[in-house]
Amino acid sequence: EDKVVQSPLSLVVHEGDTVTLNCSYEVTNFRSLLWYKQEKKAPTFLFMLTSSGIEKKSGRLSSILDKKELFSILNITATQTGDSAVYLCAVPGGSQGNLIFGKGTKLSVKP
Amino acid sequence: SQTIHQWPATLVQPVGSPLSLECTVEGTSNPNLYWYRQAAGRGLQLLFYSVGIGQISSEVPQNLSASRPQDRQFILSSKKLLLSDSGFYLCAWSPGNTEAFFGQGTRLTVV
C-alpha cells in the first residue's frame, strides 16, 4: 500500500531558528514528491521534486529528495512567525495516480 | 491562468440533512478533479476522483457521493449527513498525475 509518513508531527521553535521537516514514502511507481504549506485554509504548493540530490530553493525554504532512501526533507532557515503552518508532503500514487498525503508537520514559530 | 472556486466556505448542518458542495475550475480543459476531506489532526483523505464528465471513482465507502455534470464542475453531495461527516473538505484539480491545486475549502460542522 502506498503511504507517506512525516515527522515530527509538531514542532515549536523561536524566530531565527532553522528547522528540518522529514518525509518518507513508499509508492509502487514513483513519479514525484510534493511539499505544500497549509495555513488556515487550502494547501499552497511549495515544491515538486523528481530527481535525487537536486535542491529546490525558494527564499528561506529549500527541499531535497533521496530516491534511494525514499525520503525528502524541507528546510526553513531564519524562521519567522509567518512560517507557522502545517507542512504537508505528498506523492502521486494509489490506483488513479492521485496525491497521497502524510499527516503533516505542524510548525509553530514563537516570537 | 487557472483558478478554482469552492463554496460555501463554512457550513453548519443538522444530522440527517442533505449536503451539496460545489467546485468549479476556470482556465483549463479536461482537468482531473478531486474531493479530499481533512479531519482534525489528520492528513488529507481522498474521497472522489474524476478524469472526465460523468466519470467518478470513489476511494472510500461512505454516505457521500460526487458528480461531474460539466467538464469543470465537481459536486459533492449527501442525502443524509452524519456527525462523522464533519471536517474540512477540499476540492482540487490537476493537469495530470502531478501537483494538485486546491480550492479554499469548506469547513462543515454537522450538529
Side-chain angles (χ1 to χ4, degrees):
Chain A
E1 181 183 347
D2 297 339
K3 65 179 181 181
V4 176
V5 178
Q6 292 185 246
S7 65
L9 291 181
S10 65
L11 190 57
V12 180
V13 300
H14 288 93
E15 274 191 315
D17 289 349
T18 293
V19 297
T20 298
L21 310 183
N22 304 293
C23 175
S24 64
Y25 62 89
E26 293 178 26
V27 63
T28 304
N29 294 307
F30 179 83
R31 281 158 283 196
S32 61
L33 183 143
L34 299 103
W35 284 98
Y36 286 85
K37 177 182 181 181
Q38 185 179 25
E39 296 176 86
K40 294 292 185 184
K41 295 187 175 180
T44 53
F45 173 74
L46 293 175
F47 299 112
M48 182 170 72
L49 303 158
T50 57
S51 301
S52 280
I54 298 175
E55 185 183 55
K56 290 282 183 93
K57 196 170 174 66
S58 176
R60 296 175 294 102
L61 277 67
S62 63
S63 183
I64 199 161
L65 174 68
D66 186 327
K67 290 166 70 173
K68 182 179 177 183
E69 301 297 332
L70 308 182
F71 78 91
S72 173
I73 59 172
L74 175 68
N75 280 320
I76 308 175
T77 59
T79 52
Q80 302 172 357
T81 55
D83 295 326
S84 297
V86 175
Y87 290 84
L88 296 164
C89 175
V91 294
S95 59
Q96 305 284 356
N98 52 276
L99 289 180
I100 297 171
F101 284 86
K103 291 186 177 182
T105 295
K106 182 176 181 180
L107 174 65
S108 299
V109 182
K110 303 295 185 185
Chain B
S1 64
Q2 301 86 3
T3 56
I4 179 168
H5 303 280
Q6 184 183 341
W7 67 93
T10 59
L11 193 58
V12 179
Q13 291 284 97
V15 169
S17 64
L19 173 73
S20 181
L21 303 181
E22 188 163 344
C23 172
T24 58
V25 181
E26 296 177 357
T28 185
S29 296
N30 197 32
N32 292 343
L33 295 172
Y34 310 85
W35 278 109
Y36 285 89
R37 178 170 62 196
Q38 187 175 35
R42 303 184 69 177
L44 277 71
Q45 179 189 37
L46 179 67
L47 300 177
F48 298 97
Y49 173 96
S50 174
V51 296
I53 296 174
Q55 301 180 61
I56 309 295
S57 297
S58 174
E59 289 291 312
V60 181
Q62 61 233 323
N63 70 321
L64 300 171
S65 62
S67 62
R68 187 168 176 175
Q70 300 178 45
D71 180 45
R72 289 170 285 180
Q73 183 184 31
F74 205 23
I75 299 172
L76 181 70
S77 304
S78 173
K79 291 183 180 178
K80 288 186 178 182
L81 284 169
L82 306 173
L83 287 174
S84 58
D85 292 324
S86 294
F88 190 49
Y89 289 81
L90 286 158
C91 179
W93 79 274
S94 74
N97 293 336
T98 58
E99 70 267 34
F101 301 93
F102 290 87
Q104 287 302 296
T106 297
R107 191 161 301 281
L108 172 65
T109 304
V110 182
V111 296

